[in-house]
């Protein structure tokens, strides 16, 4: 809907006819209670603004569409123009105008088409018409038409009109009668179109309200999802932080375990070393006077003479790991005295060979 194009259409309507058409179109002008032939010039600027408004212009386009091609239901009887305006050439359009066709119907029939080629044809036709009439604007063209009409009226009053003028008058009267009849039909059709447009508008309003409600619901759902995502991200971050903290604790515990393991290993090694280096001592009662006994380091032999009673009384027998008695070197009477100290744990050997054998088995 090109507003500048339709300004050309409305600008080509004579004032008195514009008043009648505005009644058909039910167009109201702010500041004017009723549009009349007397105040139309004064209301012209505001009227043009109202006519090119989308809400007003849409049904008017339907009006010119009907005027150009008629209605499908009546086989085209509703059309006003005697020319197939959308199939005509520029010379044919100019001739139609010369034969009495209204300029606004010719332009409106072309601009109401959905084909942009018809729009271009309308502009070319108007430019050619203004050039042929030697005028600069539609307003000047209308002024020439008014002056021509005045001349015709003066010629009629003076009875000096020619047959050509009479023919034009008859044609104009017939055209006017046809237009009056057509205007009546237009009023009915326009009223129907207006009602249909109103119903369609209500449907649009209803659909828009439904869409707005759906958009609102989707927006709320989106906000809920965003809130859930934010909560999930917060929980996720908390879990990440906890994981980092636990990993740090695990690493610390692992370090402590390694340290403790090393310390335990050191302690065990130390204990094993201590145990390994700790002397195993044997109290040997009776001196075999043997090199193996005196040079042994594991076990270590502490040799005591069984006749040394002072040594027996002073000695802490329990300090030795074992007590061995060489029976073949200790007289029976002395043997009994030593046996009173630790009879159960004392080991007895009948000869030195038994000592060597015993040491070879476990006391290396």
């Amino acid at each position: 809907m090109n507003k500048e194009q339709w300004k050309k259409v409305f600008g080509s309507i004579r004032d008195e006819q514009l008043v009648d058409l505005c009644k058909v179109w039910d167009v109201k002008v702010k500041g004017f209670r009723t549009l009349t032939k007397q105040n139309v010039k004064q209301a012209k600027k505001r009227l043009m603004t109202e006519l090119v408004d989308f809400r007003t212009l849409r049904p008017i386009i339907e009006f010119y569409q009907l005027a150009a091609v008629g209605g499908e239901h009546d086989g085209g009887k509703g059309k006003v123009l005697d020319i197939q305006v959308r199939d005509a050439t520029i010379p044919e359009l100019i001739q139609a105008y010369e034969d009495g066709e209204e300029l606004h119907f010719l332009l409106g029939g072309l601009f109401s088409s959905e084909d942009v080629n018809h729009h271009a044809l309308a502009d070319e036709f108007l430019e050619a018409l203004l050039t042929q009439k030697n005028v600069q604007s539609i307003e000047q063209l209308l002024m020439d038409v008014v002056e021509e009409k005045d001349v015709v009226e003066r010629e009629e009053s003076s009875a000096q009109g020619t047959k050509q003028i009479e023919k034009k008058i008859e044609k104009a009267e017939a055209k006017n009668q046809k237009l009056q009849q057509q205007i009546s039909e237009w009023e009915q059709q326009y009223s129907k179109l207006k009602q249909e447009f109103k119903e369609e508008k209500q449907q649009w309003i209803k659909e828009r309200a439904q869409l707005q409600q759906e958009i609102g619901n989707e927006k709320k759902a989106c906000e809920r999802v965003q809130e859930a995502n934010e909560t999930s991200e917060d929980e996720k971050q908390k879990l990440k932080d906890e994981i980092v903290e636990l990993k740090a604790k695990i690493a610390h515990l692992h370090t402590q375990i390694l340290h403790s393991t090393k310390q335990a290993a050191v302690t065990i090694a130390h204990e094993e070393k201590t145990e390994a280096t700790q002397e195993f001592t044997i109290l040997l009662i009776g001196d075999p006077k043997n090199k193996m006994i005196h040079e042994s380091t594991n076990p270590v032999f502490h040799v005591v003479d069984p006749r040394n009673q002072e040594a027996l009384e002073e000695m802490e027998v329990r300090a030795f790991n074992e007590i061995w008695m060489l029976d073949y070197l200790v007289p029976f009477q002395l043997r009994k005295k030593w046996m009173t100290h630790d009879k159960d744990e004392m080991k007895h050997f009948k000869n030195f060979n038994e000592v060597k054998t015993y040491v070879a088995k476990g006391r290396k």
Side-chain angles (χ1 to χ4, degrees), residues 21-257:
L21 288 174
C22 284
K23 291 179 181 178
V24 175
W25 297 333
D26 194 23
V27 177
K28 307 295 182 183
V29 181
K30 292 182 180 180
F32 295 86
R33 185 174 182 181
T34 304
L35 192 64
T36 65
K37 295 178 182 179
Q38 288 73 29
N39 63 15
V40 65
K41 290 185 182 297
Q42 184 181 358
K44 200 68 168 289
K45 187 174 181 180
R46 293 185 181 181
L47 176 59
M48 285 297 176
T49 302
E50 183 65 27
L51 287 172
V52 296
D53 183 83
F54 170 79
R55 295 168 296 177
T56 308
L57 185 56
R58 187 175 180 275
I60 292 177
I61 291 176
E62 295 285 346
F63 168 85
Y64 279 101
Q65 173 81 11
L66 183 64
V69 300
E72 295 180 0
H73 63 283
D74 58 8
K77 294 180 182 179
K79 69 177 184 177
V80 176
L81 296 169
D82 292 332
I83 181 176
Q84 296 293 334
V85 63
R86 295 176 182 175
D87 297 328
T89 63
I90 292 177
E92 289 173 343
L93 291 170
I94 294 176
Q95 186 59 49
Y97 175 77
E98 294 289 352
D99 291 342
E101 295 289 1
E102 294 285 347
L103 179 58
H104 69 94
F105 280 120
L106 295 172
L107 294 175
L110 292 170
F111 284 136
S112 62
S113 171
E114 295 182 357
D115 190 344
V116 293
N117 292 323
H118 293 151
H119 302 176
L121 178 61
D123 290 329
E124 292 175 11
F125 157 59
L126 182 58
E127 184 178 355
L129 180 61
L130 294 177
T131 301
Q132 180 173 312
K133 294 297 183 181
N134 196 25
V135 292
Q136 300 297 321
S137 64
I138 296 175
E139 289 78 7
Q140 292 180 5
L141 184 63
L142 290 180
M143 289 176 62
D144 288 348
V145 172
V146 172
E147 290 175 359
E148 183 180 348
K149 184 178 179 181
D150 292 341
V151 170
V152 171
E153 290 176 353
R154 286 196 298 271
E155 288 177 350
E156 287 177 345
S157 64
S158 63
Q160 295 178 358
T162 61
K163 290 182 180 181
Q164 185 178 2
I165 294 175
E166 290 176 355
K167 185 179 179 180
K168 285 186 177 181
I169 292 174
E170 289 175 1
K171 188 174 182 178
E173 288 177 350
K175 189 74 171 181
N176 183 58
Q177 186 177 359
K178 183 180 179 180
L179 283 174
Q180 291 297 328
Q181 182 180 357
Q182 191 65 56
I183 285 174
S184 178
E185 294 178 4
W186 286 340
E187 287 178 345
Q188 296 177 4
Q189 293 175 2
Y190 182 75
S191 178
K192 182 181 178 181
L193 288 172
K194 186 177 179 181
Q195 181 62 29
E196 290 176 355
F197 178 72
K198 182 178 180 181
E199 293 174 358
E200 187 176 353
K201 182 179 178 181
Q202 290 298 324
Q203 183 64 25
W204 290 345
I205 293 173
K206 184 178 179 181
E207 290 179 0
R208 183 179 65 180
Q210 290 176 347
L211 288 174
Q212 287 177 338
Q213 184 176 1
E214 291 177 4
I215 290 172
N217 293 336
E218 290 295 330
K219 185 177 180 180
K220 290 180 180 178
C222 182
E223 290 175 352
R224 288 195 295 269
V225 171
Q226 288 179 343
E227 290 176 358
N229 287 339
E230 290 175 359
T231 302
S232 178
E233 287 298 325
D234 291 341
E235 293 177 352
K236 185 178 179 181
Q237 187 59 46
K238 288 180 180 178
L239 289 174
K240 285 183 177 180
D241 294 341
E242 290 179 3
I243 290 172
V244 171
E245 185 177 350
L246 289 172
K247 284 183 176 180
K249 288 182 178 179
I250 290 171
H252 180 68
L253 290 172
H254 184 66
T255 302
Q256 287 183 329
I257 290 171

Side-chain angles (χ1 to χ4, degrees), residues 4 15 105 135 202 296 304:
E4 294 303 319
D15 289 348
F105 280 120
V135 292
Q202 290 298 324
S296 175
V304 63

Side-chain angles (χ1 to χ4, degrees), residues 304-322:
V304 63
D305 186 348
R307 290 170 296 187
N308 189 350
Q309 294 298 318
E310 294 179 358
L312 176 63
E313 293 175 359
E314 295 176 358
M315 189 176 299
E316 180 60 44
V317 176
R318 294 289 182 183
F320 297 94
N321 295 107
E322 292 182 1

